[in-house]
PDB file of all heavy atoms in Angstrom:
ATOM      1  N   THR O  14     -29.034  -1.601   1.021  1.00 81.00           N
ATOM      2  CA  THR O  14     -29.859  -2.790   1.207  1.00 81.00           C
ATOM      3  C   THR O  14     -31.050  -2.431   2.056  1.00 81.00           C
ATOM      4  O   THR O  14     -31.000  -1.486   2.857  1.00 81.00           O
ATOM      5  CB  THR O  14     -29.075  -3.929   1.931  1.00 81.00           C
ATOM      6  OG1 THR O  14     -28.684  -3.488   3.211  1.00 81.00           O
ATOM      7  CG2 THR O  14     -27.844  -4.356   1.130  1.00 81.00           C
ATOM      8  N   PRO O  15     -32.151  -3.173   1.930  1.00 81.00           N
ATOM      9  CA  PRO O  15     -33.312  -2.910   2.785  1.00 81.00           C
ATOM     10  C   PRO O  15     -32.948  -3.081   4.254  1.00 81.00           C
ATOM     11  O   PRO O  15     -32.286  -4.046   4.625  1.00 81.00           O
ATOM     12  CB  PRO O  15     -34.334  -3.971   2.351  1.00 81.00           C
ATOM     13  CG  PRO O  15     -33.887  -4.385   0.978  1.00 81.00           C
ATOM     14  CD  PRO O  15     -32.399  -4.222   0.969  1.00 81.00           C
ATOM     15  N   GLY O  16     -33.319  -2.141   5.070  1.00 82.00           N
ATOM     16  CA  GLY O  16     -33.037  -2.213   6.483  1.00 82.00           C
ATOM     17  C   GLY O  16     -31.594  -1.898   6.871  1.00 82.00           C
ATOM     18  O   GLY O  16     -31.234  -1.973   8.032  1.00 82.00           O
ATOM     19  N   ALA O  17     -30.751  -1.552   5.906  1.00 81.00           N
ATOM     20  CA  ALA O  17     -29.357  -1.178   6.133  1.00 81.00           C
ATOM     21  C   ALA O  17     -28.602  -2.244   6.937  1.00 81.00           C
ATOM     22  O   ALA O  17     -27.746  -1.930   7.761  1.00 81.00           O
ATOM     23  CB  ALA O  17     -29.267   0.176   6.826  1.00 81.00           C
ATOM     24  N   LYS O  18     -28.904  -3.511   6.687  1.00 82.00           N
ATOM     25  CA  LYS O  18     -28.298  -4.605   7.419  1.00 82.00           C
ATOM     26  C   LYS O  18     -26.782  -4.669   7.151  1.00 82.00           C
ATOM     27  O   LYS O  18     -26.341  -4.653   6.005  1.00 82.00           O
ATOM     28  CB  LYS O  18     -28.931  -5.916   6.984  1.00 82.00           C
ATOM     29  CG  LYS O  18     -28.396  -7.124   7.657  1.00 82.00           C
ATOM     30  CD  LYS O  18     -29.045  -8.374   7.137  1.00 82.00           C
ATOM     31  CE  LYS O  18     -28.362  -9.602   7.738  1.00 82.00           C
ATOM     32  NZ  LYS O  18     -28.881 -10.827   7.129  1.00 82.00           N
ATOM     33  N   PRO O  19     -25.961  -4.719   8.219  1.00 85.00           N
ATOM     34  CA  PRO O  19     -24.503  -4.830   8.027  1.00 85.00           C
ATOM     35  C   PRO O  19     -24.120  -6.140   7.352  1.00 85.00           C
ATOM     36  O   PRO O  19     -24.698  -7.196   7.655  1.00 85.00           O
ATOM     37  CB  PRO O  19     -23.939  -4.778   9.437  1.00 85.00           C
ATOM     38  CG  PRO O  19     -25.041  -4.311  10.310  1.00 85.00           C
ATOM     39  CD  PRO O  19     -26.319  -4.668   9.629  1.00 85.00           C
ATOM     40  N   GLN O  20     -23.181  -6.080   6.434  1.00 86.00           N
ATOM     41  CA  GLN O  20     -22.647  -7.265   5.774  1.00 86.00           C
ATOM     42  C   GLN O  20     -21.146  -7.055   5.582  1.00 86.00           C
ATOM     43  O   GLN O  20     -20.629  -5.967   5.760  1.00 86.00           O
ATOM     44  CB  GLN O  20     -23.329  -7.485   4.422  1.00 86.00           C
ATOM     45  CG  GLN O  20     -24.779  -7.857   4.531  1.00 86.00           C
ATOM     46  CD  GLN O  20     -25.341  -8.321   3.231  1.00 86.00           C
ATOM     47  OE1 GLN O  20     -24.760  -9.141   2.534  1.00 86.00           O
ATOM     48  NE2 GLN O  20     -26.502  -7.803   2.881  1.00 86.00           N
ATOM     49  N   THR O  21     -20.473  -8.111   5.178  1.00 88.00           N
ATOM     50  CA  THR O  21     -19.036  -8.044   4.981  1.00 88.00           C
ATOM     51  C   THR O  21     -18.724  -7.831   3.512  1.00 88.00           C
ATOM     52  O   THR O  21     -19.235  -8.541   2.651  1.00 88.00           O
ATOM     53  CB  THR O  21     -18.363  -9.340   5.473  1.00 88.00           C
ATOM     54  OG1 THR O  21     -18.646  -9.499   6.860  1.00 88.00           O
ATOM     55  CG2 THR O  21     -16.872  -9.295   5.273  1.00 88.00           C
ATOM     56  N   LEU O  22     -17.873  -6.846   3.251  1.00 89.00           N
ATOM     57  CA  LEU O  22     -17.321  -6.623   1.909  1.00 89.00           C
ATOM     58  C   LEU O  22     -15.915  -7.217   1.935  1.00 89.00           C
ATOM     59  O   LEU O  22     -15.090  -6.794   2.753  1.00 89.00           O
ATOM     60  CB  LEU O  22     -17.266  -5.140   1.562  1.00 89.00           C
ATOM     61  CG  LEU O  22     -16.639  -4.815   0.212  1.00 89.00           C
ATOM     62  CD1 LEU O  22     -17.572  -5.244  -0.920  1.00 89.00           C
ATOM     63  CD2 LEU O  22     -16.332  -3.345   0.101  1.00 89.00           C
ATOM     64  N   SER O  23     -15.675  -8.195   1.077  1.00 90.00           N
ATOM     65  CA  SER O  23     -14.393  -8.885   1.079  1.00 90.00           C
ATOM     66  C   SER O  23     -13.682  -8.730  -0.254  1.00 90.00           C
ATOM     67  O   SER O  23     -14.320  -8.760  -1.313  1.00 90.00           O
ATOM     68  CB  SER O  23     -14.572 -10.393   1.322  1.00 90.00           C
ATOM     69  OG  SER O  23     -15.235 -10.616   2.522  1.00 90.00           O
ATOM     70  N   PHE O  24     -12.382  -8.561  -0.210  1.00 89.00           N
ATOM     71  CA  PHE O  24     -11.507  -8.551  -1.381  1.00 89.00           C
ATOM     72  C   PHE O  24     -10.871  -9.947  -1.431  1.00 89.00           C
ATOM     73  O   PHE O  24     -10.016 -10.258  -0.606  1.00 89.00           O
ATOM     74  CB  PHE O  24     -10.451  -7.461  -1.276  1.00 89.00           C
ATOM     75  CG  PHE O  24     -11.016  -6.074  -1.316  1.00 89.00           C
ATOM     76  CD1 PHE O  24     -11.576  -5.495  -0.190  1.00 89.00           C
ATOM     77  CD2 PHE O  24     -11.005  -5.351  -2.493  1.00 89.00           C
ATOM     78  CE1 PHE O  24     -12.093  -4.201  -0.228  1.00 89.00           C
ATOM     79  CE2 PHE O  24     -11.536  -4.062  -2.555  1.00 89.00           C
ATOM     80  CZ  PHE O  24     -12.073  -3.499  -1.411  1.00 89.00           C
ATOM     81  N   VAL O  25     -11.314 -10.780  -2.361  1.00 89.00           N
ATOM     82  CA  VAL O  25     -10.852 -12.158  -2.420  1.00 89.00           C
ATOM     83  C   VAL O  25      -9.809 -12.301  -3.521  1.00 89.00           C
ATOM     84  O   VAL O  25     -10.087 -12.084  -4.706  1.00 89.00           O
ATOM     85  CB  VAL O  25     -12.038 -13.131  -2.678  1.00 89.00           C
ATOM     86  CG1 VAL O  25     -11.549 -14.561  -2.733  1.00 89.00           C
ATOM     87  CG2 VAL O  25     -13.107 -12.955  -1.630  1.00 89.00           C
ATOM     88  N   GLY O  26      -8.605 -12.623  -3.123  1.00 82.00           N
ATOM     89  CA  GLY O  26      -7.457 -12.701  -4.015  1.00 82.00           C
ATOM     90  C   GLY O  26      -6.265 -12.141  -3.252  1.00 82.00           C
ATOM     91  O   GLY O  26      -6.429 -11.241  -2.431  1.00 82.00           O
ATOM     92  N   GLU O  27      -5.106 -12.666  -3.489  1.00 71.00           N
ATOM     93  CA  GLU O  27      -3.941 -12.281  -2.692  1.00 71.00           C
ATOM     94  C   GLU O  27      -3.109 -11.162  -3.290  1.00 71.00           C
ATOM     95  O   GLU O  27      -2.097 -10.775  -2.734  1.00 71.00           O
ATOM     96  CB  GLU O  27      -3.049 -13.517  -2.480  1.00 71.00           C
ATOM     97  CG  GLU O  27      -3.755 -14.634  -1.736  1.00 71.00           C
ATOM     98  CD  GLU O  27      -4.178 -14.228  -0.333  1.00 71.00           C
ATOM     99  OE1 GLU O  27      -3.404 -13.529   0.345  1.00 71.00           O
ATOM    100  OE2 GLU O  27      -5.289 -14.620   0.086  1.00 71.00           O
ATOM    101  N   ALA O  28      -3.478 -10.627  -4.426  1.00 79.00           N
ATOM    102  CA  ALA O  28      -2.572  -9.722  -5.155  1.00 79.00           C
ATOM    103  C   ALA O  28      -2.871  -8.245  -4.981  1.00 79.00           C
ATOM    104  O   ALA O  28      -2.253  -7.426  -5.612  1.00 79.00           O
ATOM    105  CB  ALA O  28      -2.586 -10.090  -6.634  1.00 79.00           C
ATOM    106  N   CYS O  29      -3.802  -7.875  -4.110  1.00 83.00           N
ATOM    107  CA  CYS O  29      -4.124  -6.467  -3.891  1.00 83.00           C
ATOM    108  C   CYS O  29      -3.879  -6.094  -2.432  1.00 83.00           C
ATOM    109  O   CYS O  29      -4.149  -6.867  -1.534  1.00 83.00           O
ATOM    110  CB  CYS O  29      -5.572  -6.158  -4.235  1.00 83.00           C
ATOM    111  SG  CYS O  29      -5.975  -6.288  -5.973  1.00 83.00           S
ATOM    112  N   THR O  30      -3.377  -4.883  -2.224  1.00 86.00           N
ATOM    113  CA  THR O  30      -3.239  -4.318  -0.891  1.00 86.00           C
ATOM    114  C   THR O  30      -4.363  -3.300  -0.742  1.00 86.00           C
ATOM    115  O   THR O  30      -4.525  -2.442  -1.605  1.00 86.00           O
ATOM    116  CB  THR O  30      -1.870  -3.626  -0.721  1.00 86.00           C
ATOM    117  OG1 THR O  30      -0.848  -4.580  -0.988  1.00 86.00           O
ATOM    118  CG2 THR O  30      -1.709  -3.072   0.690  1.00 86.00           C
ATOM    119  N   VAL O  31      -5.114  -3.402   0.346  1.00 87.00           N
ATOM    120  CA  VAL O  31      -6.308  -2.572   0.522  1.00 87.00           C
ATOM    121  C   VAL O  31      -6.280  -1.902   1.900  1.00 87.00           C
ATOM    122  O   VAL O  31      -5.992  -2.548   2.903  1.00 87.00           O
ATOM    123  CB  VAL O  31      -7.601  -3.429   0.397  1.00 87.00           C
ATOM    124  CG1 VAL O  31      -8.830  -2.561   0.546  1.00 87.00           C
ATOM    125  CG2 VAL O  31      -7.621  -4.178  -0.922  1.00 87.00           C
ATOM    126  N   TYR O  32      -6.594  -0.602   1.908  1.00 88.00           N
ATOM    127  CA  TYR O  32      -6.757   0.148   3.159  1.00 88.00           C
ATOM    128  C   TYR O  32      -8.050   0.940   3.084  1.00 88.00           C
ATOM    129  O   TYR O  32      -8.347   1.541   2.058  1.00 88.00           O
ATOM    130  CB  TYR O  32      -5.602   1.134   3.382  1.00 88.00           C
ATOM    131  CG  TYR O  32      -4.267   0.499   3.602  1.00 88.00           C
ATOM    132  CD1 TYR O  32      -3.398   0.289   2.555  1.00 88.00           C
ATOM    133  CD2 TYR O  32      -3.887   0.106   4.875  1.00 88.00           C
ATOM    134  CE1 TYR O  32      -2.162  -0.303   2.748  1.00 88.00           C
ATOM    135  CE2 TYR O  32      -2.657  -0.483   5.089  1.00 88.00           C
ATOM    136  CZ  TYR O  32      -1.801  -0.687   4.031  1.00 88.00           C
ATOM    137  OH  TYR O  32      -0.582  -1.283   4.234  1.00 88.00           O
ATOM    138  N   LYS O  33      -8.819   0.929   4.180  1.00 88.00           N
ATOM    139  CA  LYS O  33     -10.025   1.768   4.246  1.00 88.00           C
ATOM    140  C   LYS O  33      -9.566   3.184   4.568  1.00 88.00           C
ATOM    141  O   LYS O  33      -8.818   3.410   5.523  1.00 88.00           O
ATOM    142  CB  LYS O  33     -10.992   1.251   5.297  1.00 88.00           C
ATOM    143  CG  LYS O  33     -12.268   2.045   5.349  1.00 88.00           C
ATOM    144  CD  LYS O  33     -13.363   1.362   6.138  1.00 88.00           C
ATOM    145  CE  LYS O  33     -13.038   1.137   7.565  1.00 88.00           C
ATOM    146  NZ  LYS O  33     -14.211   0.742   8.373  1.00 88.00           N
ATOM    147  N   VAL O  34     -10.008   4.175   3.774  1.00 89.00           N
ATOM    148  CA  VAL O  34      -9.560   5.566   3.959  1.00 89.00           C
ATOM    149  C   VAL O  34     -10.696   6.522   4.326  1.00 89.00           C
ATOM    150  O   VAL O  34     -10.426   7.615   4.818  1.00 89.00           O
ATOM    151  CB  VAL O  34      -8.794   6.115   2.742  1.00 89.00           C
ATOM    152  CG1 VAL O  34      -7.514   5.330   2.513  1.00 89.00           C
ATOM    153  CG2 VAL O  34      -9.654   6.111   1.487  1.00 89.00           C
TER     154      VAL O  34
END
Side-chain angles (χ1 to χ4, degrees):
T14 62
K18 180 182 173 187
Q20 293 191 47
T21 301
L22 177 71
S23 302
F24 294 81
V25 181
E27 298 298 321
C29 292
T30 303
V31 181
Y32 293 94
K33 183 166 62 168
V34 296

